[in-house]
């Protein structure tokens, strides 16, 4: 049996929700082809856009995730997997997470769904952790579950889906400079003050209430991240200008996607999403930095 899967790209952190919030971009993602085989072992074939990625299942993100799942099942079922990437690795759009999430989702389908989607998050997180050296579930969870997700707890892992009762559009600009998740995690402070905590969880609660209540104004007011954004944005040339121009062009909010360098803006309509796209483009043309722009619904 052979199946083809779409594994959506994701935006992690989404403003104030560092390592906790994540959302799936409906219109951007990888295509994964998978089948079971009679011989043991995981065969990884690099498809389009996978140049330079390891095909060894011990070091490939999808391979590690599949091995974690096979081990839990107590089987040595053989698998062939080919990934076609539309998301550039290192963009901050959860490229490795999509591979891990798609792989375990695909294997689960091929085996007759022994696990719920929620249970698959753990295996995908193990794959993601192997390449980013920091296991986090805020990209794999939305890639698997779709929509907007919250990692309420890591130990034990508890992922919840938030019903979004409003139309939202996302414009993402990927300036082609490399920022490694491991590096941009290392530069963060290990401790925060109570005052900073209070401000952050006030905004976190505000974002959730806005999404569930369909309140655009509240979403704009709550999408602030004074903890991480000011530090990480130092690695992204043009960030402040891009953010200001997006807000001027009608965005409700603008922040860093995952650990960067991609920047995302949220808008209430596709028309506003296109205006933001033009404003992003103008800035990165001026900076002479090659860039790619994506527009997607939630
Ligand atoms: N929450 C992770 C981080 C996501 O910000 O490092 C990485 O995409």
């Amino acid at each position: 049996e052979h199946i083809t899967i779409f594994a959506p790209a994701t935006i992690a952190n989404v403003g104030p929700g560092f390592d906790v919030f994540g959302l799936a971009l409906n219109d951007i993602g990888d295509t994964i082809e998978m089948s079971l085989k009679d011989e043991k072992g995981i065969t990884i074939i690099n498809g389009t856009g996978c140049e330079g990625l390891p095909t060894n299942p011990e070091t490939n993100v999808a391979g590690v995730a599949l091995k974690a799942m096979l081990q839990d099942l107590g089987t040595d079922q053989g698998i062939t997997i080919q990934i076609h990437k539309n998301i550039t690795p290192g963009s901050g759009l959860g490229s490795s997470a999509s591979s891990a999430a798609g792989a375990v989702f695909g294997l689960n389908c091929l085996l007759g769904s022994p696990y719920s989607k929620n249970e698959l998050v753990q295996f995908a997180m193990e794959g993601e952790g192997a390449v980013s050296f920091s296991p986090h579930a805020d990209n794999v969870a939305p890639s698997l579950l779709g929509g907007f997700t919250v990692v309420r707890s890591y130990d034990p892992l508890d992922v919840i889906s938030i019903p979004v009762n409003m139309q939202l559009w996302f414009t993402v600009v990927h300036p082609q400079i490399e920022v490694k998740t491991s590096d941009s995690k290392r530069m963060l402070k290990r401790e925060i003050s109570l005052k900073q905590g209070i401000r952050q969880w006030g905004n976190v609660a505000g974002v959730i209430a806005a999404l569930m209540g369909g309140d655009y104004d509240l979403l704009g007011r709550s999408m602030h991240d004074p903890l991480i954004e000011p530090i990480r944005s130092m690695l992204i040339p043009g960030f402040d200008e891009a953010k200001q121009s997006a807000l001027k062009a009608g965005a409700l909010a603008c922040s860093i996607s995952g650990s960067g360098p991609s920047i995302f803006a949220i808008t209430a309509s596709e028309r506003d999403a296109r205006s933001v796209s033009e404003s992003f483009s103008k800035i990165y043309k001026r900076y002479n930095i090659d860039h790619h722009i994506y527009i997607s619904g939630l």
Side-chain angles (χ1 to χ4, degrees):
E1 203 186 346
H2 179 264
I3 53 169
T4 306
I5 299 142
F6 172 71
T10 49
I11 291 175
N13 301 334
V14 203
F18 180 70
D19 270 5
V20 164
F21 284 175
L23 61 86
L25 296 166
N26 258 347
D27 308 317
I28 314 163
D30 292 344
T31 308
I32 301 181
E33 296 186 62
M34 281 180 83
S35 49
L36 301 180
K37 58 174 182 163
D38 294 335
E39 323 80 73
K40 287 180 201 164
I42 300 170
T43 304
I44 299 171
I45 305 165
N46 274 344
T48 46
C50 287
E51 295 77 20
L53 294 182
T55 51
N56 179 348
E58 306 290 334
T59 47
N60 178 289
V61 59
V64 178
L66 288 171
K67 284 189 81 161
M69 182 168 163
L70 290 175
Q71 195 179 352
D72 194 67
L73 280 168
T75 159
D76 51 10
Q77 171 66 53
I79 304 154
T80 304
I81 174 165
Q82 181 171 31
I83 304 180
H84 302 283
K85 285 228 150 287
N86 293 310
I87 320 161
T88 324
S91 58
L93 286 170
S95 172
S96 52
S98 299
S99 300
V104 296
F105 179 79
L107 179 58
N108 198 47
C109 290
L110 287 168
L111 296 178
S113 303
Y115 298 104
S116 70
K117 280 197 225 169
N118 238 293
E119 287 168 332
L120 294 174
V121 175
Q122 179 73 50
F123 305 128
M125 189 172 98
E126 284 182 42
E128 162 97 305
V131 295
S132 69
F133 305 108
S134 68
H136 53 271
D138 49 343
N139 289 109
V140 289
S143 194
L144 271 164
L145 303 174
F148 192 103
T149 55
V150 174
V151 185
R152 191 207 56 81
S153 154
Y154 273 86
D155 189 16
L157 190 62
D158 183 7
V159 174
I160 50 181
S161 288
I162 303 298
V164 177
N165 291 310
M166 65 213 294
Q167 278 283 343
L168 292 176
W169 288 85
F170 295 85
T171 308
V172 182
V173 60
H174 173 207
Q176 323 247 288
I177 50 165
E178 207 194 336
V179 175
K180 282 215 165 75
T181 300
S182 45
D183 291 344
S184 90
K185 238 181 174 134
R186 215 173 296 130
M187 69 195 289
L188 301 176
K189 294 201 186 87
R190 298 286 118 196
E191 267 132 40
I192 62 166
S193 67
L194 183 59
K195 195 171 157 199
Q196 290 172 307
I198 291 167
R199 194 160 51 168
Q200 204 76 2
W201 55 66
N203 282 327
V204 162
V207 169
I208 298 300
L211 294 174
M212 295 182 74
D215 188 334
Y216 289 101
D217 194 66
L218 177 60
L219 184 62
R221 291 207 307 283
S222 310
M223 274 287 302
H224 294 293
D225 168 29
L227 276 188
I228 315 287
E229 189 184 284
I231 300 173
R232 282 187 168 169
S233 60
M234 291 189 287
L235 298 177
I236 309 173
F239 176 80
D240 291 334
E241 274 172 79
K243 180 167 176 166
Q244 288 320 315
S245 77
L247 295 175
K248 226 191 245 165
L252 300 162
C254 179
S255 189
I256 302 169
S257 179
S259 53
S262 287
I263 303 168
F264 73 96
I266 307 180
T267 52
S269 71
E270 188 174 3
R271 212 183 65 179
D272 284 351
R274 301 213 174 274
S275 312
V276 171
S277 152
E278 279 165 33
S279 69
F280 279 160
S281 222
K282 242 186 237 161
I283 285 169
Y284 283 102
K285 270 188 198 141
R286 184 147 45 76
Y287 272 80
N288 226 343
I289 295 177
D290 284 341
H291 57 280
H292 202 95
I293 295 188
Y294 306 90
I295 293 182
S296 173
L298 179 64

